[in-house]
Amino acid sequence: MPVAQPGIFAQGTRSHHYLQLDLRPGVDPGLIGPTLGRLHQPDVTSGGLNLVIALGPALAHLLGPGGTPDGLVPFAPVGSPAGRGVPADQHDLWLWLHGTGPDTVLDAARLATGALAPAFELATEQPAFSYRDGRDMTGFVDGTENPPVDEAPDVALVPEGRPGAGGSFVLVIHFVHDLAAFGVLPLEDQEAVIGRTRVDSVELDDARKPPTAHIARVVVEENGEELEIYRRSTPYGTVGVQGLEFVAFSADPGRFPTMLARMYGLSDDGIIDRLTEFTTAEGAASYFAPSLTALRALAS
Ligand code: HEM
């Protein structure tokens, strides 16, 4: 099995930085692989830092149509009967740097952007952080039902023998919260929005968990099996604006649109996730994080 990018699974890092970049117009395609290869220089990846590299669909097809997995397509905007949807903000390259402090992570983000400059220009960046004990800024623990580390590769990685084996499909959504509106809800209502208790993240029983609860919308079963994804989202914020950089990995790109359709009222039952009343998706993109083995081959 090709070696996966270890940063997808690395735990315990409290500082994060997300970058999206676009290919510069007219760049010689022969320059792209070697430019990406510069990201593996030790000065970029040393110091207890993790770097995850993911390619947008256009770039992945340009670089290696043979190794590009089926189903890698640009993010398709999600409409919503209630007017709240998920607009697309697709770019060519996504980098996730995470480490033990904002200084190391920012240094690495600047180095990486500089190393890529001959072929890529920066489109968006978002510093982010672990909030308290792994909570979203709504105050709820985010990640309780994530697969544990020893099971996460099975959920996140394309299995051996398929195009893109050892790589992972990535969904990135920039959410902006309305914490003022969420904060005035009584605790019981907040818990009904998520479907779990706030302090200790215990799932509400069926009598208390409404069908509009977030976890009631995103738990999807197919042939008796739960369709899982591996979430690595982190909050960001200033006094003026707070939100969540939603990041999820999956072996199967079809799980993301299924969950989003159920959140935004587009599935057969038409139910809308109540969480979408308190957070706005400002832009989303789809990427593929190739295995380390595939990235090294690209670089040479
Ligand atoms: C601002 C946006 C979001 C926030 C604040 C949020 C927050 C949460 C929280 C607090 C939980 C419960 C604890 C846990 O199991 O992690 C949860 C669960 C989950 N969320 Fe989200 N989420 C957001 C967006 C999304 C999106 C866009 C998706 C899918 C595309 C998603 C998929 C899931 C899944 C699969 C679970 C686990 C459900 C379970 O197995 O019980 N979430 N989320």
Side-chain angles (χ1 to χ4, degrees):
M1 177 81 162
V3 179
Q5 296 189 51
I8 297 172
F9 306 103
Q11 300 291 317
T13 51
R14 297 193 63 86
S15 297
H16 301 255
H17 206 104
Y18 303 97
L19 304 171
Q20 296 187 99
L21 300 99
D22 286 318
L23 205 53
R24 291 187 190 279
V27 166
D28 172 2
L31 187 71
I32 301 169
T35 305
L36 287 174
R38 298 174 73 185
L39 291 176
H40 288 283
Q41 299 297 318
D43 59 347
V44 177
T45 53
S46 65
L49 189 94
N50 299 283
L51 167 64
V52 179
I53 301 171
L55 313 176
L59 182 63
H61 286 103
L62 182 71
L63 287 175
T68 306
D70 300 336
L72 180 62
V73 289
F75 181 82
V78 176
S80 173
R84 294 177 298 262
V86 186
D89 185 25
Q90 182 69 58
H91 296 280
D92 289 326
L93 186 67
W94 176 77
L95 300 186
W96 169 30
L97 299 116
H98 59 122
T100 45
D103 50 353
T104 344
V105 171
L106 179 60
D107 281 351
R110 293 186 61 227
L111 274 169
T113 313
L116 292 170
F120 295 92
E121 58 196 2
L122 184 63
T124 73
E125 70 175 317
Q126 182 62 65
F129 46 78
S130 294
Y131 179 66
R132 300 178 181 263
D133 48 344
R135 287 170 194 266
D136 172 64
M137 288 197 71
T138 51
F140 283 79
V141 176
D142 191 8
T144 310
E145 287 295 335
N146 236 359
V149 154
D150 55 338
E151 290 170 22
D154 290 338
V155 170
L157 301 179
V158 175
E160 187 136 35
R162 303 231 187 114
S168 187
F169 291 90
V170 191
L171 172 65
V172 178
I173 309 178
H174 183 71
F175 280 102
V176 178
H177 290 350
D178 185 348
L179 289 186
F182 191 75
V184 295
L185 295 181
L187 178 62
E188 216 170 286
D189 288 3
Q190 290 189 356
E191 294 182 334
V193 169
I194 299 294
R196 306 189 80 93
T197 59
R198 193 176 65 192
V199 173
D200 43 13
S201 197
V202 174
E203 184 173 350
L204 302 185
D205 58 34
D206 288 347
R208 277 196 62 209
K209 186 174 59 191
T212 54
H214 178 56
I215 65 165
R217 300 313 299 155
V218 291
V219 172
V220 187
E221 285 196 2
E222 214 174 72
N223 306 324
E225 291 249 331
E226 192 173 324
L227 300 183
E228 289 189 282
I229 58 174
Y230 184 51
R231 289 166 293 131
R232 297 304 312 269
S233 315
T234 41
Y236 67 86
T238 59
V239 170
V241 58
Q242 307 84 30
L244 184 75
E245 202 68 8
F246 177 86
V247 173
F249 295 87
S250 177
D252 166 11
R255 293 176 187 183
F256 300 135
T258 303
M259 289 180 186
L260 289 175
R262 285 181 53 85
M263 284 179 71
Y264 286 90
L266 301 172
S267 57
D268 289 347
D269 59 18
I271 297 172
I272 297 177
D273 187 330
R274 231 190 126 205
L275 180 58
T276 63
E277 282 177 33
F278 304 98
T279 191
T280 304
E282 292 215 323
S286 302
Y287 294 97
F288 185 71
S291 67
L292 265 190
T293 319
L295 277 176
R296 284 190 185 135
L298 272 183
S300 59

